[in-house]
Amino acid sequence: MQRIPEPELMDDHEQAQAYAAADFEAANASFVEQLEALYGGVALAGRVLDLGCGPADICIRLANRHPALDIHALDGSEAMLACARERLNREPALAGRIRLLHERLPVRMLPAMAYDLIISNSLLHHLHDPAVLWDTVRRFSHPGTRLLVMDLFRPDSPQVARETVERYSASEPQVLKTDFYNSLLAAFTPAEVSAQLATAGLAGLTVRTISDRHLLVSGQTG
Ligand SMILES: C[S@@+](CC[C@H](N)C(=O)[O-])C[C@H]1O[C@@H](n2cnc3c(N)ncnc32)[C@H](O)[C@@H]1O
């Protein structure tokens, strides 16, 4: 099935608020688990860059679990960042540890030259040119930067996409079900992601599927 791109930014307020209110407990908890496994059970520390942070749920989970993380969270949507700000206001203990950046990829400058960990969940399928994600990873990493990128992968047919939406989102509002369906159609296959990494000079990273709809890119930059 051919990829059907969707709009990059989630900058509609209703869409951003519905997304921020949705239950991503399983996916976001799994992201944190995968990340902790990447570190082999050792506490995470250092400077983190979250690309396409949305409402910052993953950043908040990480900051609460790992006090030695200093997180820069970037998103191109002001509506999403408003949701993130609202959540952070409810976490006074994290004050100053998560810095929100209103930036749209590709970016030339960020507050740090290089990050110890770069993460991204559900951004890749939004990008019209996926190379901007991998170029950002290269530009803002140092040798040994750890990377974890999770995203949907594209199913074989619209029918499989519809079944997936019903299996996992039957009780969600229609706006979210439509987003999910469009995201599945916009997502890349694992083979396409491997090809993107090879083109970007990041072939040392590993791509694998971790569920019937998610793929994971992980490893360390050379
Ligand atoms: C599906 S949401 C994922 C949010 C968050 N990572 C999570 O796991 O909940 C994708 C986010 O990427 C942002 N985004 C899409 N294209 C972008 C770009 N080119 N630069 C920066 N942010 C972008 C959207 O605005 C949206 O907030």
Side-chain angles (χ1 to χ4, degrees), residues 8-10 19 28 52-55 58 74-77 80 103-105 121-123 125-127:
E8 285 206 344
L9 299 185
M10 296 176 70
Y19 186 89
N28 292 357
C53 64
I58 288 177
L74 169 161
D75 204 287
S77 159
M80 274 296 189
E103 296 281 357
R104 181 174 188 165
L105 300 185
N121 182 46
S122 285
L123 166 68
H125 71 267
H126 279 275
L127 298 174

Side-chain angles (χ1 to χ4, degrees), residues 14-44:
E14 191 196 347
Q15 180 192 34
Q17 281 176 353
Y19 186 89
D23 180 7
F24 289 114
E25 170 62 34
N28 292 357
S30 155
F31 188 93
V32 171
E33 265 168 38
Q34 299 284 347
L35 193 50
E36 289 173 349
L38 183 68
Y39 277 75
V42 175
L44 282 64

Side-chain angles (χ1 to χ4, degrees), residues 3 5 19-20 32 57 67-68 74-75 82 84 99 123 127 145 150 172 178 187 204 213 218 221:
R3 176 180 191 228
Y19 186 89
V32 171
D57 183 72
L74 169 161
D75 204 287
R99 179 167 169 185
L123 166 68
L127 298 174
T145 291
M150 186 163 90
E172 296 287 0
T178 305
R213 61 204 184 286
S218 64
T221 55

Side-chain angles (χ1 to χ4, degrees), residues 31-142:
F31 188 93
V32 171
E33 265 168 38
Q34 299 284 347
L35 193 50
E36 289 173 349
L38 183 68
Y39 277 75
V42 175
L44 282 64
R47 202 167 258 168
V48 184
L49 177 61
D50 183 359
L51 298 170
C53 64
D57 183 72
I58 288 177
C59 297
I60 291 171
R61 286 168 191 259
L62 284 176
N64 274 321
R65 289 171 68 87
H66 299 281
L69 288 179
D70 170 22
I71 302 176
H72 293 176
L74 169 161
D75 204 287
S77 159
E78 179 46 41
M80 274 296 189
L81 290 176
C83 297
R85 242 175 258 122
E86 204 178 297
R87 286 210 182 164
L88 279 174
N89 287 342
R90 285 187 255 131
E91 302 272 351
L94 300 183
R97 294 196 39 226
I98 301 178
R99 179 167 169 185
L100 299 176
L101 307 172
H102 187 197
E103 296 281 357
R104 181 174 188 165
L105 300 185
V107 280
R108 292 184 62 77
M109 299 269 286
L110 285 173
M113 302 276 282
Y115 290 83
D116 304 306
L117 168 64
I118 300 180
I119 60 174
S120 183
N121 182 46
S122 285
L123 166 68
L124 180 60
H125 71 267
H126 279 275
L127 298 174
H128 294 172
D129 175 8
V132 302
L133 172 57
W134 309 120
D135 290 347
T136 305
V137 167
R138 276 171 51 103
R139 183 186 282 259
F140 293 100
S141 57
H142 55 66

